[in-house]
């Protein structure tokens, strides 16, 4: 059964573009991990300040292998460095975990 991990990242006003650039700079790293199924970076709308980093994995073990991998450490290196415009790019994050209980028609 697939699992979904959502990292809800609170981003100060005006720093969303920097966060998006940082994700774009490391694009493709997670896709190489065994058990990886899907990634999406969701931009907030309608007054929301959190970005959601959505990943789907074939198992929690596959996700944990990613978190404990050198690629994860390298991809997140410098994540706490300030924006070139001053201040932090993110102020907090929460990791949410879900199991996929249903699939769309035509999917396993």
């Amino acid at each position: 059964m697939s699992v979904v991990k959502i990292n809800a990242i609170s981003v100060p006003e005006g720093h969303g573009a920097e966060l998006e650039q940082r994700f774009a700079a490391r694009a493709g790293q997670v896709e190489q991990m065994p058990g990886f199924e899907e990634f999406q970076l969701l931009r907030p709308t309608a007054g929301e300040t959190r970005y959601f980093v959505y990943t789907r994995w074939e198992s929690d073990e596959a996700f944990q292998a990613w978190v404990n991998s050198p690629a994860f450490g390298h991809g997140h290196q410098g994540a706490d460095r300030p924006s070139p415009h001053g201040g932090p790019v993110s102020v907090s994050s929460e990791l949410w975990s879900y199991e996929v209980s249903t699939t769309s028609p035509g999917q396993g």
Side-chain angles (χ1 to χ4, degrees), residues 16-102:
E18 174 69 18
L19 181 80
E20 291 179 31
Q21 288 174 356
R22 291 182 186 191
F23 271 92
R26 60 183 195 224
Q29 292 178 353
V30 69
E31 288 88 345
Q32 305 304 314
M33 292 299 297
F36 170 82
E37 295 179 352
E38 185 177 2
F39 168 88
Q40 294 178 350
L41 177 61
L42 305 177
R43 179 186 300 132
T45 61
E48 177 63 60
T49 62
R50 292 176 296 178
Y51 275 75
F52 293 149
V53 180
Y54 170 97
T55 57
R56 192 176 73 214
W57 300 86
E58 71 180 25
S59 66
D60 194 57
E61 292 78 16
F63 172 75
Q64 292 303 325
W66 159 243
V67 169
N68 294 312
S69 73
F72 180 90
H74 177 70
H76 290 81
Q77 185 176 22
D80 59 350
R81 80 176 178 273
S83 165
H85 309 292
V89 173
S90 66
V91 292
S92 67
S93 69
E94 295 178 53
L95 182 64
W96 304 336
S97 300
Y98 300 88
E99 290 181 342
V100 177
S101 66
T102 60

